[in-house]
Amino acid sequence: MDRIRIIGGNPLNGTIPISGAKNAALPLMIAGLLTPETLILDNVPRLADVAQLQRILGNHGVDITAVGKRVGDGKYQGQTLQISAADIIDTTAPYELVSRMRASFWVIAPLLARMHAAKVSLPGGCAIGTRPVDLLIMALEKLGAEIAIDGGYVVAKAHGGLRGGHIDFPKVTVGGTHVALMAATLAKGTTLITNAACEPEVSDLAECLIKMGARITGAGTARIEVEGIDRLHGARHTVLPDRIEAGTYAIATAMTGGDVQLEGARAELLQSALDVLKEAGAEISVNADGIRVRRNGNGIRPVQVATAPFPGFPTDLQAQLMALMVRAQGSSAITETIFENRFMHVQELARFGARISLDGETARIEGISTLRGAPVMATDLRASVSLVIAGLAAEGETMVNRVYHLDRGFERLEEKLKACGAAIERISD
Ligand code: UD1
């Protein structure tokens, strides 16, 4: 099992190219199930989760071709995937495939919309809280699906096809909104989705669906309307840049000090995180090629932050911000409002000497001036990268174990950091 070894203390200086967003690429690939024609996706990141979803879609009979590099493509250019679901040969998504990644459950929506039947295993994914799928099921039922749970599987049927309806989410859910959107595109009549998630990845999915012929208005707001049509066609779409990856490297730069250009990052996708970083003492400027982050000389100031749905501070940057606050000059507080139990990084950060106490949903962090490197264990995707951030600033050696969590969501992490001066390497045993 691979490990990552870091010798901390080097500032980061240079350019980091930002990859396509994992959380946009996954629903976009799943949307390929909605049409018998070819969907071409550009800028798809090379990640373990993407490869796993390719296997899942392949099991339904989807043909996926990764197009090779074209002349002029840079080293970090994402891949182009041609997704063709001409014939869906199987509407079951088995436990062995779905249990490893929560987002794969979302295949239930296009399968039901196009084939009027789906049998999908209840999902797995990161161990952060209970993460149920009740709201996704509710959304499909509002569109006329009959749903039963049998042997760990969600069995869904829509005799005669889905029908438009009003889906009012009692809680903002990104996955629920993706599922509702995809299902509604091929339903008979109009669907109204209220209290929809406003995350940029939802807008990206909607934009692609519109290119495929879907009639959608209001994506990116809490009120989305979808007028169902009989058939969607092929399209070509570029995955938007990963705001969580950009935010992670911005935090890493604030942590170590230095000057890094985040190439291809879009500030409007992570404004709340950039505002928090400014408050913490980083200098942020936006230019034509992306975002520039600097921290030279001044110390890290403590902040009080609560995670929230977009445009609030993202839960997927909570662990990284906590690593930064470990070095702040004073006490800070971070409240997690999206997921219960998303504090597994706290005990691992303690191994660097961090002083963090938990009080319900709030972590209180007493800043310390020097972190010491340690062997640590990655627990989930975002938590594991917070350990890398701590390691980059810690004295001596840090060994991050179980890095397969990182490979699920960060493309060429060690290469990107190394190019900016970090002493980091992957050790494959
Ligand atoms: C997506 C992201 C994940 C991010 C999260 C919140 C992907 C692949 N994953 O996950 O990285 O952290 O959004 O921004 O895009 N909930 C229910 N019932 C449901 C569904 C959700 O109670 O049926 C709850 C969840 O437990 C959680 C909250 O709603 O407390 C938000 O979850 P949701 O937005 O659905 O997260 P995901 O779509 O799984």
Side-chain angles (χ1 to χ4, degrees), residues 255-279:
M255 181 72 159
T256 59
D259 185 345
V260 170
Q261 169 76 18
L262 303 169
E263 203 172 74
R266 276 167 44 193
E268 75 275 16
L269 303 182
L270 70 155
Q271 198 54 56
S272 61
L274 296 178
D275 290 345
V276 167
L277 283 178
K278 275 189 211 162
E279 205 186 319

Side-chain angles (χ1 to χ4, degrees), residues 405-419:
H405 286 293
L406 280 173
D407 295 335
R408 289 187 49 208
F410 290 91
E411 194 178 26
R412 301 174 193 252
L413 172 106
E414 65 277 13
E415 263 183 60
K416 290 185 183 188
L417 287 169
K418 203 177 206 162

